[in-house]
Amino acid sequence: MKKIYTCFACGFPIAFEETEVPKACPGCGAPRSQFLEEPWCGSIDKRRIHVDPPVVDPDRDPFDLSFHPAKDFIPQKGDGRVRRWIMRYHKGQAEEMRSFYEDLFGWDIIDVEGTDPENPVMYCATGPGTADWEPRVCSFGYGFLVPVSEEWGDQPCFIVEVKDIDETVRKAVKCGGKQVKGKFELLGDTYSVIEDSEGNLYCLWELPDSVPDYCIQGVINTGAQ
């Protein structure tokens, strides 16, 4: 019989068949004896048992690796997270670049639809993903191999998600950085390139309205899918 189990230690809810319940909480590692259980009601969101999560301790020892509630980044969700990375290759060298990382790390490398077949943007899946996280491209820590160009320059860099490129650029300038390339469109998305106070380049990606909530809020596999 399927039930909902809520961890009394951290408040994390999960839903599993009785024969498949984990021995410890996926959220904090508390033993199963700390689980409060109730019948499955069709959705974890409809559960009756709710446990208040632990309060963040501002004086917690940062070197204490035992379970603790994470810092609350809610005001920044969707604004400031490193989402992807980019590495460059010289035009005409796409297959050499692809072979290098396929042979070295076993990455799955796929040409992005709609790009130049001779010098494609290549999507790199660097490890297994989960079925409920960005299911179009299930991969952990993914990035792109792109040809050297005016838009992207010739340096490796991160792609950072932001809600408003113009506002982020204004803040970056105040912090000692500068914009090195204004907003431009690529494959339907809006980007800009900025430089930090030490001269490191990175790309800003303006989150489109079409990005679903689970990509912004993050989803943990609770067994309820």
Side-chain angles (χ1 to χ4, degrees):
M1 179 183 296
K2 190 172 185 177
K3 293 183 178 181
I4 298 175
Y5 302 85
T6 301
C7 178
F8 184 73
C10 71
F12 187 77
I14 56 177
F16 284 99
E17 296 291 337
E18 290 181 283
T19 56
E20 300 175 355
V21 181
K23 295 181 180 179
C25 172
C28 70
R32 182 174 173 176
S33 60
Q34 293 292 304
F35 293 176
L36 306 174
E37 63 182 71
E38 62 185 292
W40 174 247
C41 56
S43 170
I44 277 186
D45 293 335
K46 296 179 181 179
R47 68 188 185 279
R48 300 288 299 276
I49 297 175
H50 294 264
V51 175
D52 292 335
V55 177
V56 176
D57 179 6
D59 299 319
R60 185 187 67 83
D61 180 358
F63 292 101
D64 179 3
L65 301 182
S66 60
F67 171 76
H68 59 277
K71 174 184 174 181
D72 188 0
F73 277 95
I74 288 177
Q76 295 183 350
K77 280 183 177 175
D79 201 11
R81 294 190 307 180
V82 173
R83 291 284 291 190
R84 306 179 182 93
W85 47 262
I86 296 173
M87 290 192 292
R88 331 290 182 173
Y89 68 87
H90 293 289
K91 290 185 177 181
Q93 300 295 311
E95 290 310 308
E96 287 81 355
M97 188 73 158
R98 185 198 311 270
S99 297
F100 179 86
Y101 285 105
E102 286 179 339
D103 294 342
L104 179 62
F105 295 128
W107 290 354
D108 287 337
I109 301 179
I110 305 164
D111 291 359
V112 174
E113 185 177 358
T115 60
D116 180 0
E118 297 296 324
N119 299 288
V121 173
M122 294 180 278
Y123 167 82
C124 302
T126 67
T130 59
D132 57 0
W133 185 77
E134 299 194 342
R136 286 183 59 193
V137 283
C138 292
S139 169
F140 176 82
Y142 69 92
F144 296 96
L145 304 178
V146 304
V148 172
S149 66
E150 180 182 350
E151 287 82 7
W152 298 105
D154 59 2
Q155 295 185 30
C157 70
F158 290 116
I159 298 178
V160 178
E161 65 180 21
V162 298
K163 297 173 184 174
D164 186 319
I165 282 180
D166 293 330
E167 177 61 24
T168 302
V169 169
R170 284 192 288 270
K171 291 170 65 177
V173 171
K174 287 183 179 180
C175 293
K178 65 180 181 180
Q179 186 179 42
V180 297
K181 183 170 181 58
K183 289 196 292 188
F184 61 95
E185 300 290 323
L186 183 67
L187 300 176
D189 287 319
T190 303
Y191 297 91
S192 179
V193 181
I194 67 174
E195 185 178 278
D196 69 13
S197 59
E198 299 302 310
N200 298 300
L201 295 178
Y202 60 97
C203 294
L204 303 177
W205 169 49
E206 191 166 85
L207 280 172
D209 294 336
S210 59
V211 172
D213 287 343
Y214 62 75
C215 288
I216 299 174
Q217 303 297 339
V219 173
I220 297 175
N221 189 346
T222 62
Q225 287 72 23

